[in-house]
């Protein structure tokens, strides 16, 4: 499952990280290396302050707390789902922006939680003891994780969440305790055309002119949350060469994969992912062209698909790079030689690399049915997602916590429930498009004669089955809540067509998931863990773990780079935005920006680049100066950084950031948001 979640991503050179490489955990940050290179002292007080002001946003972004009244800074593309869900045909906040005049007008972000990491505890020994000699590794590991999470949060109120995070591919397990906020409201979002100016052509490129920021507010008991430990907002321009830090939640990297795993990714998983993304992009583009309303309701999904395609294509090119693969083979040979030279270590590690090669040989026969019957089932259909959560959740919660599917353990049930209970629009026309696409591809990939196709489609065509499923009432949160609270008995009695469909097919989906775990995930995780422990024995913790959507800190400097012999400056300024504007999509500007052109400072840095090592999931991360003040929000990387899933090349990998100076300038002179500026700056 980790492979499909990443859909990309090479191993660390098995030696201490060099240059500005590394997404480091807060309890293993290389302060001495930073001091030696940049002369900056990062002590525990600094780390604690930054950790307390950094937050995981939603299911895949980062953010920072930037005021004493719960104001949170992240990217526009991280809040765009909230913006979309609060929009209507007559109030299109994606197009026109969301700019409330007062706090009372801030709008709920359905399904969104914000989490602040409060504590880290090592639980490796407990999980190792539970899995030692286990026949079913995944079941034993997940049972141990569920028990640890439940014990850790026992007696705490529902404001906290306890989550075990796997590091170094199972070499370490850490218990992360989060303070969570579930009442999250949209406070400000600019127009998409300034937040994503340049559109897909400029994506993953630089120079950039994107005001890619959005703001939400945390609420408790119906009132803005008090957040005295917020980070300080800076209105100063970044300076060339100054050291900077990115605190965020990078989603997934694959720098610790073996050569065999990378080759399987290159030859099997990635081509399939790229084909799927290119096909659904075409489907959504056609749907969007049919009417302005279709364009509006599909915009968010199409944005995500286009971004994923471009990102995965860049990663695929890295997998095809002989130099990258050669570096991995060299690093792997070095580790193997050191393991072989130690008889005790060699015996403990066994032939873990050979075990992974066997997994990759088995993958082709299992992966396609797993993808279409389980991992991509429903393919972004809200109705299907609700039905599966209700059917599985009501069945799983009756089991002991240690025996449940991981997504329904006690620590995760509040998130499932929030997603089910929060009101959000469901668009039947878009639902039909994604359901028909999924069912068509299921039949195409598994063939019409397969048992899976016969079970899911029966005698129906994808179109006719989708029409029947769209009679579901699950768009109504009251219906979802009643089924959830009614439990398994209520679900089994339901005549809702989507509930009946999931009930009829879920055994097959669960079966292929179990097969995938037994033949692919389980053996791979066990072998990866052996290699991780061998790596620890040889190199210690001088290297950092792969990204896991958990809080990390990277260090670097404000610095441009050379691209094909041509220098790329580190900064862009407001005049460059207007020079780049053509008046035609995607280089058109909102009218209020054209009117404000002469008011904006020509000396304010708009966007800039740094050498920080980041990846997807870092979107919205605060970019901090040496004092720990927020000077920007990371929103992208350059095209060269897409290979960062596998390795870091400090000569060209760059993080792209929108400055807090530019945000402040825009709030004052374009949007007239003096209220927000005063809250952010205290002036």
């Amino acid at each position: 499952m980790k492979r499909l979640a990443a859909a990309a991503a090479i191993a660390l050179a098995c030696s201490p990280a060099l240059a500005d490489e590394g997404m480091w955990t807060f309890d293993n940050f290389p302060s001495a290396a930073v001091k030696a290179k940049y002369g900056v002292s990062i002590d525990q007080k600094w780390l604690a302050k930054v950790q307390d002001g950094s937050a995981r946003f939603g299911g895949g972004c980062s953010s920072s707390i930037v005021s004493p009244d719960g104001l949170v800074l992240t990217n526009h593309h991280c809040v765009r789902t909230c913006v979309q869900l609060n929009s209507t045909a007559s109030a299109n906040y994606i197009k026109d922006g969301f700019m409330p005049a007062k706090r009372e007008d801030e709008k709920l972000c359905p399904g969104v939680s914000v989490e602040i990491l409060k504590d880290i505890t090592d639980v490796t020994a407990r999980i190792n003891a539970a899995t030692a000699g286990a026949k079913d590794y995944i079941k034993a590991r997940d049972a141990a994780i569920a028990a640890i999470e439940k014990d850790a949060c026992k007696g705490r109120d529902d404001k906290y969440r306890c989550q075990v995070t796997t590091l170094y591919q199972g070499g370490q397990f850490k218990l992360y305790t989060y303070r969570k906020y579930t009442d999250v409201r949209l406070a400000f979002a600019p127009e998409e055309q300034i937040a994503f100016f340049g559109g897909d052509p400029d994506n993953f490129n630089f120079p950039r002119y994107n005001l890619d920021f959005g703001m939400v507010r945390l609420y408790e008991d119906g009132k803005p949350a008090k957040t005295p430990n917020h980070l300080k907002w800076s209105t100063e321009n970044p300076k060339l060469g100054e050291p900077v830090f990115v605190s965020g939640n990078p989603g997934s990297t694959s720098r610790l994969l073996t050569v065999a795993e990378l080759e399987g990714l290159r030859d099997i998983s990635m081509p399939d992912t790229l084909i799927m993304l290119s096909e659904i992009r075409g489907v959504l583009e056609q749907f969007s062209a049919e009417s302005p309303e279709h364009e509006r309701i599909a915009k968010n999904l199409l944005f995500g698909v286009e971004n994923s395609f471009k990102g995965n294509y860049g990663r695929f090119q890295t997998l095809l790079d002989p130099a990258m693969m050669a570096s991995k083979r060299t690093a792997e040979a070095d580790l193997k030689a050191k393991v072989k030279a130690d008889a005790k270590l060699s015996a403990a590690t066994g032939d873990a690399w050979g075990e992974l090669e066997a997994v990759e040989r088995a993958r082709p026969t299992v992966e396609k049915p797993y993808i279409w019957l389980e991992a991509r089932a429903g393919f972004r259909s809200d109705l299907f997602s609700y039905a599966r959560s209700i059917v599985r959740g009501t069945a799983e919660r009756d089991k002991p916590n240690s025996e449940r599917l991981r997504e329904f353990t006690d620590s995760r049930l509040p998130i499932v429930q929030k997603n089910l209970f929060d009101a959000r629009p469901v668009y039947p026309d878009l639902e039909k498009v994604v359901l028909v696409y999924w069912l068509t591809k299921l039949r195409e990939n598994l063939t019409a004669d397969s048992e899976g196709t016969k079970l899911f489609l029966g005698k129906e065509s994808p179109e006719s089955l989708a029409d029947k499923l769209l009679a579901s009432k699950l768009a109504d949160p009251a219906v979802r809540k009643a089924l959830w609270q009614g439990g398994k008995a209520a679900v089994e009695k339901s005549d809702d067509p989507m509930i009946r469909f999931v009930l009829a097919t879920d055994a097959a989906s669960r079966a292929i998931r179990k097969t995938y775990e037994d033949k692919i995930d389980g053996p791979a995780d066990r072998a990866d863990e052996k290699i991780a422990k061998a790596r620890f024995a040889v190199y210690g913790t001088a290297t950092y773990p792969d990204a896991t959507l958990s809080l990390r800190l990277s260090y670097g400097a404000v610095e441009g780079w050379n691209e094909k012999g041509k220098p790329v400056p580190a900064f862009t300024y407001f005049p460059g935005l207007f020079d780049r504007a053509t008046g035609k999509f995607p280089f058109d500007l909102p009218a209020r920006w054209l009117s404000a052109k002469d008011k904006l400072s020509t000396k304010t840095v708009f966007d800039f680049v740094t050498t920080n090592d980041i990846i997807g999931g870092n979107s919205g991360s605060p970019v901090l100066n040496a004092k720990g003040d927020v000077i920007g929000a990371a929103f992208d990387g350059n095209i060269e950084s897409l290979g960062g899933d596998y390795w870091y090349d400090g000569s060209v990998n760059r993080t792209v950031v929108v400055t807090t100076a530019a945000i402040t300038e825009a709030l004052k002179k374009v949007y007239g948001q003096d209220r927000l500026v005063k809250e952010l700056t205290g002036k």
Side-chain angles (χ1 to χ4, degrees), residues 9 76 158 210 223 237 255 340 424 488 495 599:
H76 181 274
D158 60 4
N210 294 59
K223 299 176 182 178
N237 279 336
R255 297 180 185 180
K340 187 177 181 180
R424 55 191 296 168
K488 189 175 180 180
D495 61 358
K599 302 176 186 177

Side-chain angles (χ1 to χ4, degrees), residues 339-419:
V339 170
K340 187 177 181 180
D342 184 325
K344 185 176 179 180
L345 183 58
S346 181
T349 306
D351 187 18
W353 287 273
E355 292 169 17
L356 289 169
E357 290 170 3
V359 166
E360 294 308 319
R361 288 194 295 271
R363 186 179 297 278
T365 61
V366 182
E367 190 147 286
K368 278 191 183 296
Y370 169 70
I371 286 172
W372 294 105
L373 300 181
E374 171 65 11
R376 291 181 192 152
F379 200 84
R380 297 295 298 271
S381 162
D382 289 331
L383 294 175
F384 181 90
S385 177
Y386 288 142
R388 177 175 271 189
S389 290
I390 291 167
V391 169
R392 287 189 174 178
T394 53
E396 291 295 309
R397 71 186 186 198
D398 290 341
K399 302 175 183 178
N401 190 50
S402 61
E403 295 180 14
R404 299 177 197 167
L405 296 176
R406 251 192 109 175
E407 59 266 35
F408 297 106
T409 55
D410 285 340
S411 66
R412 289 164 173 78
L413 279 178
I415 296 174
V416 175
Q417 185 169 295
K418 177 174 174 58
N419 285 331

Side-chain angles (χ1 to χ4, degrees), residues 383-398 408 416 420-421 472 474 478-507 510:
L383 294 175
F384 181 90
S385 177
Y386 288 142
R388 177 175 271 189
S389 290
I390 291 167
V391 169
R392 287 189 174 178
T394 53
E396 291 295 309
R397 71 186 186 198
D398 290 341
F408 297 106
V416 175
L420 288 172
F421 290 5
S472 172
L474 295 180
V479 173
R480 303 194 296 266
K481 187 174 184 178
L483 285 167
W484 182 258
Q485 294 180 336
K488 189 175 180 180
V491 170
E492 290 176 345
K493 291 178 182 176
S494 173
D495 61 358
D496 185 274
M498 192 64 87
I499 291 288
R500 301 311 308 171
F501 177 70
V502 173
L503 282 170
T505 60
D506 203 45
R510 285 173 176 262

Side-chain angles (χ1 to χ4, degrees), residues 587-602:
F587 296 100
D588 51 330
L589 285 169
R592 59 165 57 92
W593 276 84
L594 296 173
S595 299
K597 177 181 178 181
D598 294 335
K599 302 176 186 177
L600 296 166
S601 168
T602 60

Side-chain angles (χ1 to χ4, degrees), residues 258-280:
T258 65
V259 170
E261 290 174 301
L262 286 167
E263 289 174 339
L265 186 62
R266 180 194 66 197
D267 299 338
I268 301 169
S269 301
M270 186 63 79
D272 175 79
T273 297
L274 288 171
I275 290 170
M276 178 273 295
L277 288 169
S278 61
E279 289 177 336
I280 192 62

Side-chain angles (χ1 to χ4, degrees), residues 439-459:
L439 293 166
T440 301
K441 302 312 293 184
L442 183 155
R443 183 175 61 187
E444 175 187 314
N445 281 276
L446 305 188
T447 76
D449 295 324
S450 74
E451 291 303 314
T453 301
K454 290 176 181 177
L455 174 63
F456 276 72
L457 276 164
K459 299 291 185 180

